[in-house]
Amino acid sequence: MPPKAIGPYRVLETLGSGGAGTVYRALDRRSNDEVALKLLSTGGPSLDDRAARRLAREFETLADLAHPNVVKVFEAGVHAGQPYLAMELIEGLTLRHYLDVSFNDLHTPTPSSRFPHAIRRTADDDFGSVDSPDEDEDDDVEDDGTFDLNAFAEEAPSEDLASFHGAEDDSDSDGMRGVDPRRAPPRAQPPARPSTPKVADLNRPERMGKLKDAMLQVCEALAYIHGHGLVHRDLKPSNIMVDDDRQVRLMDFGLAKFLADDAGITADGKLVGTYRYMAPEQILGEPLDGRSDLYSLGVILYELMSGRPPFDAKTPHELWRQVLETEPPPLLALNLHGDPQLARVAHRLIRKEPDDRFQTAEEVYEALSE
Ligand SMILES: Nc1ncnc2c1ncn2[C@@H]1O[C@H](COP(=O)(O)OP(=O)(O)OP(=O)(O)O)[C@@H](O)[C@H]1O
């Protein structure tokens, strides 16, 4: 049951939940304006402290930003020990759902789709935000409210439920948790899966127009935040929303921080970000810059064009190995009639070396416009 009130806000409905908490539609009783209210998950005392710090960071980062493609944050507070963040309410969809041609045909339903607000939930978008692989070996839900391997297995994009459980077992039995990706031993790469059914639907002109337009707007948002010395660090389809006027908003800067204290790892040593969209340098805990966000953008573009991610594995360990060591299948082999220029952009964005990628969001914008 959602709370009835949070601080000065009356809760109207649940919009969705993510790794860090739940987002509600709420009414500001002072102004009568509707907002989106993100309430961080409760847990032990350490979760509260950490979550509060995450929220404060998200707020500080966002408060000074003003761009049509970046979500506006109004205020942060604490309610019954739980931190919350009030932000602009976006009447729209996450990028994945906005571009979804036929959700059930392209994605195997996951347990999360049982929830009535599944269309707004975003757990299908990724494997969940994650902690450093060498910590918290025993719990499904990590102490900062993010998820470990079981969440990873559950959210694997193209596995059936039996495979999910297999993945859980595998990961537990062979010690996948607690593995440092920098020391991960090589394994054989599984063969690329055949392209998804109805892949031709992905190329419908109207959908491609929407995809390109959304990508251009994301580039504008990224150019803006990178210009302010910020790296998003957790760019993924659930952190991009598109409103009814097709205006894109970049969300969730909880993981962003100024490049000055950059290391890709939080002060308490946790790796932040979401596996599937993480650049190699982020997996390795190396310093990040805007090019790491461009890598994530490339994964998103590849996935939305082909119906599957460039690297697809049952366990984080295997995914890291693929991301660090193998080349993704050519996008146009998965989608024969995909747009060749967009496919080239996607492949260049997901190059392993940051120097081999586009160097700025402005460059990506230009390439997408060609
Ligand atoms: N400002 C907003 N306006 C409208 N809906 C929103 C807003 N912010 C979030 N939502 C909805 O709530 C969902 C959950 O958001 P939330 O930021 O908690 O999770 P997430 O981005 O999916 O995951 P994570 O927190 O792990 O990055 C979003 O996917 C979206 O559907």
Side-chain angles (χ1 to χ4, degrees), residues 18-19 23 36 38 88 90 120 122 129 236 238-239 251-252:
V23 179
K38 182 167 184 169
E88 178 188 7
I90 312 297
R120 284 198 175 267
T122 56
S129 298
K236 55 185 175 179
S238 69
N239 282 339
M251 329 274 298
D252 246 348

Side-chain angles (χ1 to χ4, degrees), residues 14-25 35-40 54 58 71-72 87-94 97 117 119-123 125-126 128-129 145-147 234 236-241 251-252 255 274:
T14 303
L15 293 174
S17 332
T22 303
V23 179
Y24 301 104
R25 179 196 296 267
V35 298
L37 205 70
K38 182 167 184 169
L39 186 66
L40 296 202
R54 263 177 87 168
E58 192 165 343
V71 74
K72 191 68 204 155
M87 60 188 147
E88 178 188 7
L89 177 71
I90 312 297
E91 300 285 2
L93 297 169
T94 65
H97 293 122
H117 53 265
I119 191 68
R120 284 198 175 267
R121 280 177 59 90
T122 56
D125 289 336
D126 47 63
S129 298
T146 57
F147 297 93
D234 197 18
K236 55 185 175 179
S238 69
N239 282 339
I240 299 168
M241 287 194 73
M251 329 274 298
D252 246 348
L255 302 174
T274 305

Side-chain angles (χ1 to χ4, degrees), residues 262-281:
D262 176 37
I265 292 182
T266 58
D268 45 10
K270 298 277 187 175
L271 187 66
V272 294
T274 305
Y275 287 138
R276 197 196 298 173
Y277 303 94
M278 262 190 209
E281 63 272 19

